[in-house]
Amino acid sequence: MKLIQNYIDGAFVGGAREFADLNPADGTVIAQVTEADETQVNDAVRAARRAFRGEWGSFGVRERSAQLHRVAEAIEKRAESFVKAEVEDTGKPVSLASRLDIPRAAANFRVFADLVKMAGIESFQTETPDGKGALNYAVRKPLGVVGIITPWNLPLLLLTWKVAPAMACGNTVVVKPSEETPATATLLAEAMQEAGIPYGVYNVVHGFGPASAGEFLTKHPDVNAVTFTGESRTGAAIMAAVAPSVKPVSFELGGKNAAIVFADCDFEETVKGLSDAAFLNTGQVCLCAERIYIERAIFATMVSALKKKAESLRPGWPMEENTSLGPLISAQHRDKVLSYYRLALEEGAALVTGGGVPSFGDARDNGFFVQPTIYTGLAETARCVKEEIFGPVCHIAPFDSEEEAISLANDTRYGLAASIWTSNLKRGHRVAQQMNAGITWVNCWFLRDLRTPFGGAGLSGIGREGGTHSLNFYSELNNICIKL
Ligand code: NAD
Ligand code: 6OH
């Protein structure tokens, strides 16, 4: 049986306890994973601190940038192993992992390697009473040891989205990947070794949240900042854990994202875009649209086109090229999603398609598949319209005016992403600017430029990452004022 170990100070280390890593496509055990106890988390933080004070801390921006490019190369060189590991852990289709997750992990290193070399910092000439003036400028300094905690839906993509800028800014890191998907963070350790990253710069501790590696890391007094992607409730728990030591936090949390579809949209492109927005990665993307509002004139035709599209998705073995829908991540998560499927009917929804579990007649019946599902007819106050489900499911409702659509879309405590579908670009701009969201797409969805601000409002998070926003989070600015 494969053993996935912690990676501390350049060495793979075992531990007292192990837990099983399951393949969500058939429920089989892929590997045993070493759970880090508090001593190992302490060791990892100590190694990271030592590395920060050591060779890594002495590198200038040019050297760090070159090293990050070498990490990207090492990922690209082993892309196949990364894809296979990610597909086994998550059950996502191989076509998706090889198009999105793994290339994007390499891109995260390349983008921040380049950006950190190019980024300037503002300076100000300041007037003084004696007329001689002063000059203000800032220097960027790393924070120190950064704790990084990530979820299971896009494991390597979301981990490297934080590791790359943290390292680019000169920090060292201790990462705690999701207990559901420990493999690629561990493979990344091999890529780091191959790239020649000094030991202790990148450390991996495996385990769970409360009373396990996640909590030990967030509570650790020698961790200088915590960056987290995951559920809003977990964000709240981490905020409480870091409060006594007043650490900076960056939180990318949940969403209940809306799509607004106007009658003048490009019908075919919109159907394709909405189908991705609802069902990509089996709906397990924080940016997915679980609420779709369609202008009444095209409501019925678009609902039936989306029904057709949902029914054309091909659930199957994740490693098969033509599979377009994988399982959910775990039995527990499937129970949660199915409980919302039941709740939707109790709340008075009309079922357009799906609502259950597909049957394969083979080992996949032991996996965690559910059908892509569309509902209509729910009241806006229904729990299924208000709470994040995080599965391949959406609710579609009609609207009659632009104002109504905006107010429906904004009626949520989350504020992560929105999408607007219209051929009238004036309207696209106008509506986009009124969205209470951190990211609004017009005529597209999940189209990413890594230089742009990324994050959410309300329950969807604190702060922005991406481009210089990441550089600002992962560094301290020391402003220097010189009297001339
Ligand atoms: P989760 O919050 O359950 O777990 C995320 C990570 O936090 C895991 O590594 C887990 O072990 C750890 N954790 C849990 N409790 C902890 C604690 N008390 N202290 C420290 N660490 C703890 O999230 P998940 O179920 O893995 O992921 C799905 C959620 O993530 C969804 O809500 C989704 O919307 C959200 N998400 C948000 C974004 C974004 O960018 N906004 C991106 C991806 C996923
Ligand atoms: C959430 O599930 C997806 C988040 C995506 C990113 O953070 C990104 O950088 O594309």
Side-chain angles (χ1 to χ4, degrees), residues 4 10 100 109 155 209 261 332 403 440:
I4 296 178
L100 174 71
F109 281 98
V261 183
Q332 194 192 9
E403 294 67 35
T440 300

Side-chain angles (χ1 to χ4, degrees), residues 149-153 158 176-179 207-210 214-215 218 228-232 234 237-238 252-255 286 388 390 416 454 460:
I149 299 182
T150 49
W152 42 258
N153 60 331
L158 291 172
K176 210 297 282 169
S178 169
E179 56 274 29
F208 305 83
E215 185 181 321
T218 53
F228 167 72
T229 301
E231 274 193 37
S232 303
T234 313
I238 293 179
E252 295 178 345
L253 309 177
C286 56
E388 182 187 52
F390 219 57
L416 187 59
F454 185 97
S460 294

Side-chain angles (χ1 to χ4, degrees), residues 77-93:
K77 211 173 108 190
R78 309 156 176 257
E80 234 174 85
S81 325
F82 273 107
V83 167
K84 186 166 174 289
E86 204 73 304
V87 169
E88 269 184 4
D89 255 3
T90 59
K92 69 178 68 203

Side-chain angles (χ1 to χ4, degrees), residues 104 153-154 157-158 161 252 285-287 446 448 454:
R104 175 55 201 285
N153 60 331
L154 304 163
L157 185 160
L158 291 172
W161 172 240
E252 295 178 345
V285 179
C286 56
L287 309 160
F446 202 4
R448 295 279 289 115
F454 185 97

Side-chain angles (χ1 to χ4, degrees), residues 4-14 40 44 47 173-175 185-186 188-194 197-206:
I4 296 178
Q5 294 182 300
N6 300 310
Y7 181 69
I8 299 172
D9 208 9
F12 291 94
V13 287
Q40 285 182 312
V173 304
V174 179
V175 307
T186 314
L188 183 61
E190 292 177 20
M192 293 275 178
Q193 284 189 338
E194 185 178 305
I197 301 298
Y199 292 162
V201 172
Y202 175 79
N203 305 275
V204 186
V205 291
H206 290 295

Side-chain angles (χ1 to χ4, degrees), residues 2 41 48 97 123 128 173 177 208 212 245 251 255 267 404 429 473 478:
K2 188 166 120 188
V41 174
S123 66
T128 55
V173 304
F208 305 83
S212 182
S245 49
F251 286 167
F267 194 89
E404 185 193 4
H429 285 285
F473 177 73
N478 174 9

